[in-house]
Amino acid sequence: QVQLVESGGGLVQAGGSLRLSCAASGSVSSINAMAWFRQTPGKQREMVAIIDNSGSINYGDSVKGRFTIARDNAKNTISLQMDSLRPEDTANYLCRAYSYYGTTISWGQGTQVTVSS
């Protein structure tokens, strides 16, 4: 099993920055890709950014050019640097781990990000 724990959320003004982290533990050798999703009440979860073991990265259209995902395989962590934050970025940000078969191994509990206008 894999456990994911997010940290780094908080309250920030529009235009500001935050850095989120997600630490994986347990059977980390089973993890291929890791991703950040976000969710607001009443809406579907939205993919923010994803990075696989080869370093291949994709971003959601709404965050391209503002957010940067990175991975530290030695520490089994991923991070999400969020710059130029907007009120519409307010959400619970969750970490997700995928197997080499593309299936979901685990979700974290999430960390809340609130951007004030």
Side-chain angles (χ1 to χ4, degrees), residues 13-93:
Q13 287 189 333
S17 299
L18 276 177
R19 184 180 180 87
L20 306 183
S21 293
C22 172
S25 61
S27 301
V28 296
S29 61
S30 64
I31 299 173
N32 177 21
M34 295 183 73
W36 288 99
F37 279 69
R38 64 187 182 186
Q39 187 168 29
T40 53
K43 292 187 178 181
Q44 285 190 332
R45 286 178 180 175
E46 174 190 9
M47 197 280 287
V48 175
I50 185 168
I51 183 169
D52 69 15
N53 256 343
S54 72
S56 178
I57 291 172
N58 277 293
Y59 294 99
D61 289 340
S62 61
V63 306
K64 284 180 181 176
R66 300 187 298 122
F67 291 10
T68 304
I69 190 171
R71 184 167 181 167
D72 186 336
N73 288 326
K75 295 182 179 180
N76 300 313
T77 61
I78 61 168
S79 62
L80 185 69
Q81 178 66 39
M82 305 186 294
D83 298 318
S84 303
L85 282 162
R86 305 167 180 167
E88 54 264 39
D89 294 318
T90 295
N92 188 36
Y93 284 72

